[in-house]
Amino acid sequence: ACLLCHRAEADPISCGEKLENYGICAHEYCMVSCPLWDKEEPLRLPLMGLLCSFQVCFICSQSGATITCHKTGCDQSFHLPCAKPTGCVTQYIAFY
C-alpha cells in the first residue's frame, strides 16, 4: 500500500504509478503533493510518511493526507484518492 494514502490499489490516472524503494512504496502524485517532495531526491519516503502522518484526511479521517487546502485560514488536508470523488478540486503547478 502507498505510504501516504494507504491505498494498495488506486487509479493510476489520478494517483500516478506506484513507485517502490527499499520495500516502501508511494504513488507518484501522492509524493508530488507532499511538502517534502524534491524533484532531485524523489524517494524521501520515510520522511514524507513521518511528516504526513500528522496530517489527517478531512474525508476519511486517516493519517497521511498530503494535499492542503489553499484557502487562507483553512487547515483541512486530503489524500489524493479521497479528493476527487468528493468534489475537491486539485491543481498541481510545477515551479522549475
Side-chain angles (χ1 to χ4, degrees), residues 7-93:
R7 310 271 189 317
E9 299 297 324
D11 179 16
I13 293 172
S14 298
C15 296
E17 296 299 319
K18 199 182 317 179
L19 306 175
E20 186 173 344
N21 195 15
Y22 301 109
I24 301 172
C25 64
H27 296 109
E28 183 179 13
Y29 302 151
C30 289
M31 287 193 311
V32 169
S33 61
C34 181
L36 282 179
W37 183 76
D38 181 347
K39 69 176 183 152
E40 300 299 324
E41 196 176 333
L43 293 174
R44 292 181 176 187
L45 291 178
L47 291 175
M48 288 181 194
L50 179 62
L51 172 71
C52 295
S53 69
F54 296 104
Q55 295 176 192
V56 176
C57 179
F58 179 74
I59 305 299
C60 73
S61 302
Q62 292 186 17
S63 65
T66 58
I67 300 172
T68 55
C69 183
H70 80 281
K71 186 176 179 182
T72 303
C74 182
D75 62 353
Q76 294 178 348
S77 298
F78 307 89
H79 291 118
L80 187 56
C82 293
K84 186 177 178 181
T86 56
C88 298
V89 176
T90 59
Q91 181 178 11
Y92 174 73
I93 301 170

